[in-house]
């Protein structure tokens, strides 16, 4: 059985720097009939379990540790008994939401996890958050970008722990190294492609 991608949208809030916003977050699940990985754990464990179904969860992969991406990660971990994986540079953000427990596995540049016969590879793309990572799945022709790259451009960098120059460099050096037809599955909103965002930013391939 080939690996596939399943998706849902979960609604809740995002809080940082003393302000709270209503947000809709994408939940992405990659795997086959037997096993899967979950990318981001936003607002509601049941929203995630509805996408997972009966499958074994191998890992809970976090694109970064803003609360709208990691809030229910520990609760999901208890339900499905799978390790939470996060880039360690996002520890200060994680600790804003989870003061009494940590994640399980550090996601470093080049970290690979196999699931359902396909492989997700972590690209460290700091800028939106210091520990922001994207997950490239070469044989599915896609990349999960979290809040680093959206349809319409780079993620926000106006708040604490963000860096606008760094996110632009991460996108240019890491994401625009991927082929134009690579589908971009984002943390919020609609899909795009590397080619569409490259031309929107006026950068040559
Ligand atoms: Zn974010």
């Amino acid at each position: 059985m080939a690996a596939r991608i399943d998706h849902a949208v979960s609604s809740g809030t995002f809080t940082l720097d003393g302000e709270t916003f209503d947000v809709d977050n994408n939940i992405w699940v990659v795997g086959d009939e037997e096993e899967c990985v979950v990318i981001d754990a936003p607002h509601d464990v049941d929203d995630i379990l509805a996408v997972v179904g009966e499958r074994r969860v191998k890992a809970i992969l976090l694109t970064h540790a803003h609360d709208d991406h990691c809030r229910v990660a520990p609760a999901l971990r208890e339900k499905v008994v799978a390790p939470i994986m996060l880039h360690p540079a996002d520890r200060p953000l994680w600790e804003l939401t989870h003061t009494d427990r940590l994640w399980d596995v550090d996601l470093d540049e080049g970290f690979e996890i196999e699931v359902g016969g396909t492989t997700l590879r972590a690209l460290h793309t700091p800028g939106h958050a210091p520990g922001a990572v994207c997950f490239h799945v070469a044989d599915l022709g896609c990349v999960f970008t979290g809040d680093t790259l959206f349809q319409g451009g780079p993620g926000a960098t106006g708040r604490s722990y963000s860096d606008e120059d760094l996110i632009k460099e991460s996108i240019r050096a890491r994401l625009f190294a991927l082929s134009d037809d690579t589908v971009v599955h984002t943390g919020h909103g609609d899909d795009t492609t590397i080619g569409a965002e490259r031309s929107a930013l006026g950068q040559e391939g």
Side-chain angles (χ1 to χ4, degrees):
M1 219 36 165
R4 67 174 202 263
I5 298 165
D6 294 293
H7 170 236
V9 176
S10 190
S11 298
T13 59
F14 164 58
T15 300
L16 189 62
D17 299 337
E19 286 187 275
T20 298
F21 308 88
D22 291 328
V23 284
D24 291 335
N25 284 67
N26 292 321
I27 297 162
W28 298 103
V29 175
V30 182
D32 62 8
E33 296 297 313
E34 303 292 321
E35 61 178 17
C36 62
V37 296
V38 173
I39 300 174
D40 286 340
H43 311 293
D44 188 308
V45 170
D46 289 337
D47 286 351
I48 300 166
L49 293 177
V51 185
V52 167
E54 298 300 308
R55 296 179 283 176
R56 184 170 68 89
V57 177
K58 275 187 95 168
I60 302 160
L61 304 172
L62 300 180
T63 60
H64 62 299
H66 281 154
D67 65 349
D68 60 325
H69 294 255
C70 77
R71 184 180 290 113
V72 301
L76 181 65
R77 170 171 63 188
E78 279 186 31
K79 280 266 186 189
V80 301
V81 192
I84 300 170
M85 303 187 180
L86 174 70
H87 193 286
D90 259 16
R91 182 167 183 150
L93 286 167
W94 171 273
E95 288 178 340
L96 293 176
T97 304
H98 302 297
T99 52
D100 57 344
R101 53 211 149 163
L102 289 174
W103 62 97
D104 304 291
V105 175
D106 284 347
L107 279 179
D108 293 317
E109 168 62 32
F111 178 93
E112 291 188 350
I113 184 164
E114 206 190 303
V115 64
T118 196
T119 303
L120 290 82
R121 185 168 199 273
L123 308 174
H124 184 209
T125 52
H128 177 71
V133 296
C134 298
F135 298 100
H136 182 222
V137 192
D139 52 355
L140 296 181
C142 69
V143 62
F144 298 89
T145 57
D147 292 356
T148 293
L149 182 63
F150 292 121
Q151 185 187 82
T157 48
R159 294 180 183 278
S160 297
Y161 305 105
S162 285
D163 185 318
E164 184 179 0
D165 290 339
L166 201 51
I167 197 173
K168 287 180 175 164
E169 176 59 16
S170 289
I171 291 169
R172 191 197 61 75
R174 309 309 314 281
L175 297 181
F176 288 172
L178 305 175
S179 64
D180 276 349
D181 60 355
T182 305
V183 174
V184 177
H185 298 301
T186 63
H188 307 271
D190 295 331
D191 289 349
T192 182
T193 64
I194 292 295
E197 299 311 319
R198 194 199 307 279
S199 51
L201 284 173
Q203 303 210 14
E204 294 303 313

